[in-house]
Amino acid sequence: MKRNDYLHIIERQLDEVTIALVGKYTALEDAYASVLKALNHAALFCNRKLKILFIHASDLEANTQKDDPVKYHEAWQQLCSAHGVLVPGGFGSRGIEGKIAAIEWARTQSKPFLGICLGLQCAVIEFARHVLHYKDAHSAEFDKCEHQVVIEMPEHNPGNMGGTMRLGRRTTHFVNDDSIVKKLYGNKASVDERHRHRYEVNPAYIEECEKAGMKFVGRSDDNERMEILELENHPYFVAVQYHPEYISRPLKPSAPYLGLIWAACGELKNVLSHVAKEQSPTDISAKSPSPFSHVNLFRHT
Ligand SMILES: NC(=O)CC[C@H](N)C(=O)O
């Protein structure tokens, strides 16, 4: 490596990328260990120093505004200062409204957003409430409302935690060639990722969501389960029903996480324009200022 290249890398590593992690267990960083690792792998690949802002989802809610306005304003100030927003997986209703508020903010402010599992379900609820105007829209996990845009999967027996979850490695097929995520995965026709959930997007609302710009670009083998969504006309609004962090590796970052970091750095468009032209995302790594130019960086198993 030439001295100048080396200096350039050092210089770029001083640039920071800030990601707001809007979760429930934020006091327990360990609960999000694999998410944090995946973010770090992606930031390393992009030569950015990663700064995580842990935000308690409930601090973004109206109740906190009433009871502790300083905490509420601090939480919103943190969210607004981030380059990108991540809503990770989770269970239970605490903090749900805060997660939905953070997602609405990312959607309307064109902030890069990645939702994981529950994060995807919250993105669909947010969209149904504020774009499709179903004010009561919710998940069956939390509310017996009229517009249940997230429902129990048939194989889940309520009250029987653990064994009834949809678990483990499953195949997701891309159904849309314009998908940003498909490009990030190296234009593969399908990808295998690990799952851990009981609820799913209600197929009854898919057509309406898609007409309004929320595209379900990745689906299960039988085309029934919505695995990846993307918003049209947004720099990076992506959510996945699976947990891509589980197979992220230091030198093989997970594609959806890499997309978030690239978008948060303002480089995603540039990177993807190379993919479109050259049809090979591995070429990007050779051209980018990254110190890593591993062939097969976008490997996906
Ligand atoms: N892992 C998760 O985020 C689970 C999401 C949601 N609670 C479900 O069971 O479907």
Side-chain angles (χ1 to χ4, degrees), residues 185 188 251-253 280-283 285 293-301:
Y185 274 111
K188 293 202 156 75
L251 300 180
K252 298 193 190 301
S280 168
T282 51
D283 289 342
S285 56
S293 56
H294 309 280
V295 181
N296 213 14
L297 199 78
F298 291 71
R299 174 204 71 141
H300 194 73
T301 52

Side-chain angles (χ1 to χ4, degrees), residues 7-301:
L7 289 178
H8 183 59
I9 289 162
I10 302 276
E11 193 182 311
R12 284 180 61 86
Q13 275 179 328
L14 295 178
D15 291 339
E16 212 168 59
V17 61
T18 308
I19 301 295
L21 182 62
V22 183
K24 181 171 146 189
Y25 317 106
T26 41
L28 297 164
E29 286 186 26
D30 276 1
Y32 295 132
S34 41
V35 169
L36 296 177
K37 279 192 186 138
L39 282 171
N40 266 302
H41 301 160
L44 177 72
F45 181 65
C46 300
N47 284 315
R48 297 294 166 122
K49 228 194 301 178
L50 178 67
K51 185 173 169 194
I52 308 271
L53 300 173
F54 292 97
I55 300 176
H56 283 265
S58 52
D59 289 353
L60 300 168
E61 295 177 354
N63 274 347
T64 307
Q65 184 177 26
K66 201 155 49 88
D67 300 340
D68 193 341
V70 173
K71 200 193 242 183
Y72 173 84
H73 285 292
E74 277 173 3
W76 275 100
Q77 198 277 331
Q78 283 207 310
L79 180 71
C80 295
S81 72
H83 300 123
V85 178
L86 191 147
V87 176
F91 295 82
S93 63
R94 186 162 55 88
I96 285 292
E97 293 306 321
K99 290 176 190 176
I100 292 170
I103 293 169
E104 181 183 16
W105 184 82
R107 180 178 60 78
T108 54
Q109 301 303 307
S110 296
K111 279 281 165 191
F113 163 75
L114 177 62
I116 308 289
C117 206
L118 182 61
L120 174 140
Q121 297 169 3
C122 287
V124 173
I125 297 167
E126 191 282 315
F127 195 78
R129 285 186 189 174
H130 303 127
V131 179
L132 303 182
H133 305 294
Y134 296 130
K135 288 195 168 51
D136 71 330
H138 221 314
S139 163
E141 185 176 4
F142 312 119
D143 195 13
K144 300 278 165 259
C145 59
E146 187 190 337
H147 296 100
Q148 291 189 343
V149 292
V150 177
I151 52 169
E152 279 173 275
M153 286 181 289
E155 57 265 53
H156 167 226
N157 301 316
N160 196 359
M161 304 276 276
T164 55
M165 273 204 265
R166 181 171 178 245
L167 290 169
R169 190 168 149 163
R170 315 259 170 165
T171 302
T172 292
H173 301 270
F174 287 101
V175 296
N176 184 332
D177 281 342
D178 299 329
S179 159
I180 289 177
V181 184
K182 181 175 180 182
K183 286 181 183 153
L184 286 164
Y185 274 111
N187 277 316
K188 293 202 156 75
S190 67
V191 289
D192 285 1
E193 293 273 13
R194 294 197 198 152
H195 291 69
R196 188 171 184 269
H197 65 122
R198 289 192 186 88
Y199 293 82
E200 65 172 332
V201 179
N202 185 345
Y205 291 92
I206 303 303
E207 210 182 309
E208 249 181 296
C209 284
E210 292 215 314
K211 268 193 194 137
M214 177 173 269
K215 304 285 184 194
F216 294 91
V217 298
R219 302 187 182 200
S220 62
D221 280 333
D222 49 12
N223 201 31
E224 262 172 36
R225 304 244 138 89
M226 302 303 121
E227 306 282 21
I228 308 171
L229 69 77
E230 283 179 21
L231 265 196
E232 275 178 348
N233 304 320
H234 191 288
Y236 192 76
F237 189 103
V238 166
V240 291
Q241 185 60 76
Y242 50 80
H243 291 267
E245 62 274 12
Y246 290 161
I247 58 170
S248 176
R249 297 289 174 267
L251 300 180
K252 298 193 190 301
S254 154
Y257 282 85
L258 196 54
L260 175 69
I261 299 292
W262 258 329
C265 296
E267 288 179 7
L268 182 63
K269 230 175 162 180
N270 180 27
V271 167
L272 289 182
S273 70
H274 282 90
V275 180
K277 264 185 253 153
E278 295 157 22
Q279 292 300 309
S280 168
T282 51
D283 289 342
I284 295 162
S285 56
K287 286 191 169 152
S288 80
S290 166
F292 305 114
S293 56
H294 309 280
V295 181
N296 213 14
L297 199 78
F298 291 71
R299 174 204 71 141
H300 194 73
T301 52

